[in-house]
Amino acid sequence: MLVKHYFIKGAPLLLNETLWSAGVAMLTQCYSIRGLSVIAGLNIANTINNVFNVVFIALGDAVAIIVGQLLGAGKMEKARDTDNKIIAFSVFSCIIVAVLMLAAAPIFPKLYNTTEQAREIAVSFIMIQAVFMPQNAFMHATYFTLRSGGKTIVTFLFDSVFMWCVSVPVAFVLSRYTGLYAFWILALVQAADFIKCIIGFVLVKKGVWLQNITHT
C-alpha cells in the first residue's frame, strides 16, 4: 500500500522533471537557430541568472517545508496565511534582486573572453531575465505550494505540460517563422508565462492544495 501511494505521488514528479529538462533543451535549440553568438550570450546570461535565482529557489523550498509542515499538522488556515506571506515576500525580494541584476547586466559579460556581439546579446538576455524575475518567483512559489499539498499531477500539468504546450511552441514558431532577434523571442516566451501566473494564482486562491497528505 505504501509503495503504491509513493508511486502515485512520485511518478508525476519524476515525469515532470524529465519533460521539463527536455523542454529547456528544446528552448535552447530554438534560440540556437539565431547563431553561435546567441548561444554564447545565453550561456553567459544563464550563469548570472542562476546565481540571482537562488533567492526565489530558496523561498520556494521554504514553501515546501514550512507550509507542508502546517498542512501535516492540520493547520489549514495558518498554512494558507503563511503561504500568502511567503509568496508576497518572494516576489518583493526578487524585485530588489532584479534591480541589482539590471545594474550588473552591462558589467558581467565583460568578464568573458568572447566576441563583442556575444557580450551585447548577453546584456540583453540578462536584462530580460531580470525584468521577468518577480514573475518567475511567483510561479516558483505557487508551484511548490501545489506540491506541498501533494498535488503532483496538478504540478505536472502546471509545469512541464505548460512548457510543452505553450513555451516550446511559442519559441519554435518565432525562431523559425519570424525574423525576430533572439532576445525578443526570449522576452515573448517569458511573457507567455503570465498565463501560467494566472493559472497558479487561481489554483492557490481556490485552495486545491489545502490537503493533509499524511491522512490520505
Side-chain angles (χ1 to χ4, degrees):
M1 189 66 175
L2 178 61
V3 174
K4 179 182 177 182
H5 184 68
Y6 180 81
F7 180 79
I8 291 173
K9 292 296 182 182
L13 292 178
L14 176 62
L15 184 59
N16 178 68
E17 296 302 322
T18 302
L19 289 176
W20 186 84
S21 298
V24 171
M26 186 62 190
L27 288 175
T28 303
Q29 194 280 329
C30 290
Y31 301 138
S32 72
I33 297 295
R34 292 295 185 267
L36 291 176
S37 293
V38 170
I39 295 301
L42 184 61
N43 286 335
I44 294 171
N46 284 341
T47 299
I48 188 172
N49 188 49
N50 290 336
V51 172
F52 282 95
N53 281 352
V54 168
V55 175
F56 72 72
I57 290 174
L59 288 169
D61 292 339
V63 169
I65 296 170
I66 298 172
V67 176
Q69 183 180 39
L70 291 172
L71 291 176
K75 301 177 181 179
M76 300 303 172
E77 287 306 313
K78 187 173 182 181
R80 184 195 291 272
D81 180 64
T82 301
D83 182 68
N84 289 338
K85 289 177 180 177
I86 295 177
I87 292 176
F89 181 72
S90 180
V91 173
F92 176 76
S93 298
C94 284
I95 291 174
I96 298 174
V97 172
V99 172
L100 296 175
M101 192 169 169
L102 282 171
I107 302 170
F108 186 75
K110 294 179 180 179
L111 300 175
Y112 287 79
N113 182 21
T114 186
T115 64
E116 188 59 34
Q117 183 184 19
R119 291 193 189 97
E120 291 175 357
I121 292 172
V123 171
S124 299
F125 280 156
I126 294 170
M127 294 179 71
I128 290 168
Q129 290 168 337
V131 168
F132 285 98
M133 183 173 284
Q135 172 183 280
N136 292 333
F138 180 82
M139 289 190 299
H140 193 72
T142 53
Y143 170 79
F144 274 96
T145 297
L146 297 172
R147 275 184 58 169
S148 68
K151 296 297 182 180
T152 54
I153 295 178
V154 175
T155 56
F156 167 69
L157 297 172
F158 179 74
D159 201 27
S160 59
V161 171
F162 182 90
M163 174 173 279
W164 279 99
C165 291
V166 179
S167 302
V168 170
V170 169
F172 185 89
V173 171
L174 293 177
S175 63
R176 286 164 172 79
Y177 301 107
T178 73
L180 289 175
Y181 290 113
F183 59 83
W184 282 115
I185 297 175
L186 176 63
L188 290 172
V189 169
Q190 291 283 323
D193 280 344
F194 185 69
I195 301 171
K196 191 175 178 180
C197 285
I198 296 174
I199 296 172
F201 176 81
V202 172
L203 291 174
V204 171
K205 187 72 174 178
K206 289 180 66 176
V208 298
W209 52 280
L210 289 169
Q211 174 181 299
N212 185 346
I213 61 175
T214 63
H215 293 165
T216 58

